[in-house]
Amino acid sequence: MARHRAHSIAFKRQVAQDCLVGETLLSLARRHDLSRNLIRIWIQKFEGGAFDDEAAAVNTIEAYEARIAALERLVGRQALEIEFLKGALKHGQRPRSATTSVVTGPAASLSQKDAG
C-alpha cells in the first residue's frame, strides 16, 4: 500500500458512506488501496460530522477567495483611473487662479468667438 497520500474530503466521505451502506472494509481497502484501520477512522469522523465542518470551511474559504479576487480587480481598475487622471492633470495645466471642482472639473473657458 502507498504511504502518506492526501485524500480529499469528498473521497473520504464517499468511502465512509460506501462502508455504511454495506460494503465490507476489506473490499473497500483493496479497491482503493487503503488500510482498513484508516477507513474505520474515516467512518468515525464521518459519523461525528467532522467532514461536514471541513466542507463548510472549504466553502467559506472559496467564497472569501472569490471576494478577494473581485476586490483586487476593483483596485486595479481604480489604479488605472488614478493614473489616467494624473496624466490628464499634467497635460492640461490651468492657471492657479482658475477654479476647479472635483465633481464638475475645471470651469469652461471662453473661446475667441465668445470673448469678442
Side-chain angles (χ1 to χ4, degrees):
M1 279 186 221
R3 300 278 184 222
H4 305 290
R5 291 181 293 171
H7 300 285
S8 70
I9 301 297
F11 176 74
K12 294 175 184 180
R13 187 181 305 120
Q14 183 61 46
V15 170
Q17 287 173 343
D18 289 346
C19 188
L20 292 175
V21 169
E23 195 167 347
T24 65
L25 283 174
L26 184 61
S27 66
L28 281 171
R30 285 183 180 165
R31 181 165 35 125
H32 298 293
D33 193 28
L34 298 169
S35 161
R36 286 179 287 173
N37 193 38
L38 180 61
I39 296 172
R40 284 187 193 103
I41 292 169
W42 289 354
I43 291 169
Q44 289 174 349
K45 287 184 177 184
F46 177 75
E47 290 174 338
F51 295 149
D52 296 334
D53 294 340
E54 291 177 14
V58 167
N59 290 338
T60 303
I61 289 171
E62 288 174 355
Y64 286 153
E65 287 174 347
R67 179 72 177 143
I68 289 169
L71 291 172
E72 286 175 343
R73 285 191 300 274
L74 178 62
V75 167
R77 281 195 301 264
Q78 290 176 339
L80 286 174
E81 282 182 34
I82 290 170
E83 289 303 314
F84 174 76
L85 293 173
K86 283 181 181 178
L89 280 175
K90 287 179 184 177
H91 297 297
Q93 294 292 329
R94 302 279 180 207
R96 291 199 182 267
S97 62
T99 58
T100 61
S101 169
V102 174
V103 177
T104 59
S109 61
L110 296 174
S111 68
Q112 293 296 333
K113 292 180 195 175
D114 294 337

